[in-house]
Amino acid sequence: MEVKILTQHYDKPEYQSLEGYKKYEGYQQLKKALTLKPEAITEMVKQAGLRGRGGAGFPAGVKWGFLPNNGKKRYLICNADEGEPGTFKDRAMMDRAPHQLIEGMIISAFAINSPKSYIYIRGEYFESKRIVEKAIKEAYAANLLGDNILGSGFSHHMDIYSGAGAYICGEETGLISSLEGKKGQPKLKPPFPAIEGYLAHPTIVNNVETLAAVTIIIRDGVEGYRKYGTEKSPGTKLFSVSGNVVKPGNYEIPLGTPLKDVIFNLCGGLKQGRKLKAVIPGGSSAPVLNEEEAMSVNMDYEDLADKGSMLGSGAIIVIDDSNSMVELLQVLMHFYHHESCGQCTPCREGTGWLSKLSNSILEGSASLNDVKLLEKVANHMKGKTICALSDAAAFPVLSFVSKFKEEFISAATANVALQFQSKNGQSYKRG
Ligand SMILES: Cc1cc2nc3c(=O)[nH]c(=O)nc-3n(C[C@H](O)[C@H](O)[C@H](O)COP(=O)(O)O)c2cc1C
Ligand code: SF4
């Protein structure tokens, strides 16, 4: 069921070095791309239907097509911040195949006519940074980066920049602010980065996996790339599977693969005696699926949207009947409250309320009204803020509470009963 297109050589340690990468057709796609017209590459990426792998799923070629022809220097930024809880695929891509990413970036830079790119890497990824830095040096030494690349007349320079541990710097405008040396706070869109991004120049921000996949599109062509996946969600994608499965890890599968096959075949199912309870299919910001939904959904952009969730960053978090949904939500809300940058009132205050309410439901000082209040606060946080972090905190709350209401009610009321019992020796329930 796994189809290893991007990850075909990831099991070979030598693939990390330029020499090893070249043994397996490394940089052949760059050579090919440099003989094509830049617009033809953008058109190929559009026709292949490659959608952004960082979370929003926006078509990459369409985004590139938004760049204005105003003569300004264009920048390419690789988003390697990988902060979405549950996601660990970009790290694997950088660690196992740094040159695949660099090759994809040079081809993409050539397509959009950009002389300079940055890889914005998550601060905690020390080892990945070391590996990518070494690969960039190797590429410079082989004239795969720098001036007049392989005598083509195209010049491109690449740098790496470390984040400092803030989730919000994964949001593209927050990332750009951080790269500019400012506070990593998102900005209102429009203008979108393609029009006004890094240093107010037209800028394309793409995820690690999106940029690496460009190499595959050049190699296999549009039809070859579309051989896997569905009509509207073509290609393969890396999924990071974590939680209560026997074999967690990164798996590359064609988009459209049934989630139940991923969990019960690829990942070896659940531990003995455990029952599937829920699945977060696309990173912690994606609405949770209950068992019935999880068993019938296919892992593509459309089917997940039909089921009220999203593919997001491709992080599948499997939850079995030994887990408390109340506890899980409390952990998530603590995270979003901690990571809110504080610019927008609904997000700054709302995430604080969600964190406090979920905490009190879990710890024993809540009422039934607090469960209702949790939903009410989340409903006021959607679509009202500068960036999508506020929605990302609200979505899990609404799906957790609506799909597991009994669990939240019984946690809230059981805890209240205990609280009263301890004070006066009697047990009441408050609604
Ligand atoms: C709060 C927040 C955090 C994000 N974190 C990441 C991240 O760590 N990595 C990433 O690629 N995209 C992240 N994104 C999405 C980016 O803003 C942007 O859409 C993406 O980098 C575009 O690349 P793509 O089109 O190739 O997916 C985040 C978005 C939000 C709202
Ligand atoms: S939604 Fe939250 S994280 Fe995003 S800009 Fe507003 S306060 Fe900051």
Side-chain angles (χ1 to χ4, degrees), residues 239-285:
F239 287 92
S240 305
V241 190
S242 64
N244 303 128
V245 284
V246 174
K247 290 186 286 176
N250 283 313
Y251 295 94
E252 183 179 3
I253 53 170
L255 287 165
T257 302
L259 176 57
K260 70 171 183 316
D261 290 349
V262 177
I263 298 173
F264 290 98
N265 297 335
L266 265 185
C267 300
L270 309 179
K271 285 191 187 143
Q272 221 181 355
R274 300 270 178 84
K275 191 176 169 304
L276 184 67
K277 183 173 182 179
V279 179
I280 299 174
S284 69
S285 310

Side-chain angles (χ1 to χ4, degrees), residues 52-54 63 79 81-83 167 170-172 205-207 210 388:
R53 304 302 198 217
K63 192 195 279 188
N79 190 341
D81 197 49
E82 194 162 64
Y167 171 62
E171 195 281 335
E172 56 186 3
V205 183
N206 274 131
N207 173 256
T210 316

Side-chain angles (χ1 to χ4, degrees), residues 168 186 339-345 347-348 385-390:
I168 198 56
E339 299 298 334
S340 166
C341 84
Q343 286 186 98
C344 321
T345 309
C347 175
R348 184 186 61 244
T385 51
I386 294 174
C387 89
L389 186 141
S390 190

Side-chain angles (χ1 to χ4, degrees), residues 218-378:
I218 300 297
R219 189 191 69 186
D220 296 348
V222 171
E223 266 182 43
Y225 185 78
R226 283 186 160 273
K227 204 168 123 201
Y228 297 101
T230 68
E231 177 60 27
K232 289 188 176 161
S233 296
T236 60
K237 157 125 193 66
L238 256 83
F239 287 92
S240 305
V241 190
S242 64
N244 303 128
V245 284
V246 174
K247 290 186 286 176
N250 283 313
Y251 295 94
E252 183 179 3
I253 53 170
L255 287 165
T257 302
L259 176 57
K260 70 171 183 316
D261 290 349
V262 177
I263 298 173
F264 290 98
N265 297 335
L266 265 185
C267 300
L270 309 179
K271 285 191 187 143
Q272 221 181 355
R274 300 270 178 84
K275 191 176 169 304
L276 184 67
K277 183 173 182 179
V279 179
I280 299 174
S284 69
S285 310
V288 71
L289 301 172
N290 61 26
E291 187 206 358
E292 198 190 326
E293 291 162 337
M295 291 300 280
S296 62
V297 78
N298 295 332
M299 294 307 287
D300 59 65
Y301 295 96
E302 291 70 36
D303 208 31
L304 277 157
D306 283 351
K307 297 267 183 323
S309 191
M310 59 189 197
L311 192 99
S313 59
I316 301 174
I317 304 171
V318 181
I319 301 159
D320 74 19
D321 58 352
S322 68
N323 291 130
S324 152
M325 298 308 281
V326 179
E327 194 177 347
L328 275 176
L329 190 71
Q330 186 265 341
V331 172
L332 288 182
M333 291 310 113
H334 173 76
F335 170 78
Y336 285 109
H337 181 218
H338 185 261
E339 299 298 334
S340 166
C341 84
Q343 286 186 98
C344 321
T345 309
C347 175
R348 184 186 61 244
E349 301 301 319
T351 52
W353 274 93
L354 297 180
S355 177
K356 274 186 215 147
L357 286 166
S358 52
N359 211 31
S360 56
I361 293 173
L362 182 69
E363 287 192 345
S365 49
S367 73
L368 256 186
N369 278 334
D370 291 331
V371 179
K372 288 185 195 147
L373 189 57
L374 198 61
E375 286 181 298
K376 198 173 167 190
V377 173

Side-chain angles (χ1 to χ4, degrees), residues 35-333:
T35 66
L36 302 173
K37 286 214 159 73
E39 313 83 65
I41 299 172
T42 302
E43 191 54 28
M44 273 177 90
V45 173
K46 262 189 207 165
Q47 295 301 326
L50 174 64
R51 294 173 62 165
R53 304 302 198 217
F58 195 81
V62 176
K63 192 195 279 188
W64 297 2
F66 291 153
L67 286 166
N69 282 318
N70 54 10
K72 279 184 136 184
K73 181 174 174 181
R74 295 166 170 186
Y75 289 97
L76 174 69
I77 299 176
C78 169
N79 190 341
D81 197 49
E82 194 162 64
E84 181 75 5
T87 320
F88 43 87
K89 64 178 179 75
D90 295 342
R91 181 176 60 183
M93 299 193 84
M94 291 185 283
D95 291 3
R96 306 284 180 94
H99 284 285
Q100 187 184 54
L101 170 63
I102 294 169
E103 185 174 10
M105 285 183 68
I106 306 168
I107 297 170
S108 306
F110 177 66
I112 65 167
N113 190 19
S114 162
K116 176 81 195 185
S117 61
Y118 293 94
I119 301 177
Y120 188 101
I121 195 162
R122 179 178 168 142
E124 295 89 342
Y125 283 181
F126 305 112
E127 183 60 5
S128 311
K129 186 176 179 231
R130 189 191 63 75
I131 292 168
V132 176
E133 256 168 2
K134 183 166 172 268
I136 291 176
K137 270 190 195 145
E138 285 178 324
Y140 267 106
N143 188 222
L144 295 158
L145 276 171
D147 294 332
N148 191 19
I149 293 172
L150 302 176
S152 65
F154 175 64
S155 301
H156 186 77
H157 292 263
M158 191 177 287
D159 260 325
I160 193 161
Y161 186 93
S162 243
Y167 171 62
I168 198 56
C169 291
E171 195 281 335
E172 56 186 3
T173 58
L175 183 156
I176 289 170
S177 301
S178 164
L179 193 62
E180 288 171 340
K182 300 177 189 148
K183 268 193 206 169
Q185 290 186 322
K187 291 187 206 126
L188 267 179
K189 293 186 270 191
F192 288 91
I195 310 294
E196 200 179 307
Y198 180 59
L199 303 175
H201 282 252
T203 304
I204 291 296
V205 183
N206 274 131
N207 173 256
V208 171
E209 190 182 351
T210 316
L211 291 165
V214 170
T215 316
I216 306 297
I217 294 173
I218 300 297
R219 189 191 69 186
D220 296 348
V222 171
E223 266 182 43
Y225 185 78
R226 283 186 160 273
K227 204 168 123 201
Y228 297 101
T230 68
E231 177 60 27
K232 289 188 176 161
S233 296
T236 60
K237 157 125 193 66
L238 256 83
F239 287 92
S240 305
V241 190
S242 64
N244 303 128
V245 284
V246 174
K247 290 186 286 176
N250 283 313
Y251 295 94
E252 183 179 3
I253 53 170
L255 287 165
T257 302
L259 176 57
K260 70 171 183 316
D261 290 349
V262 177
I263 298 173
F264 290 98
N265 297 335
L266 265 185
C267 300
L270 309 179
K271 285 191 187 143
Q272 221 181 355
R274 300 270 178 84
K275 191 176 169 304
L276 184 67
K277 183 173 182 179
V279 179
I280 299 174
S284 69
S285 310
V288 71
L289 301 172
N290 61 26
E291 187 206 358
E292 198 190 326
E293 291 162 337
M295 291 300 280
S296 62
V297 78
N298 295 332
M299 294 307 287
D300 59 65
Y301 295 96
E302 291 70 36
D303 208 31
L304 277 157
D306 283 351
K307 297 267 183 323
S309 191
M310 59 189 197
L311 192 99
S313 59
I316 301 174
I317 304 171
V318 181
I319 301 159
D320 74 19
D321 58 352
S322 68
N323 291 130
S324 152
M325 298 308 281
V326 179
E327 194 177 347
L328 275 176
L329 190 71
Q330 186 265 341
V331 172
L332 288 182
M333 291 310 113

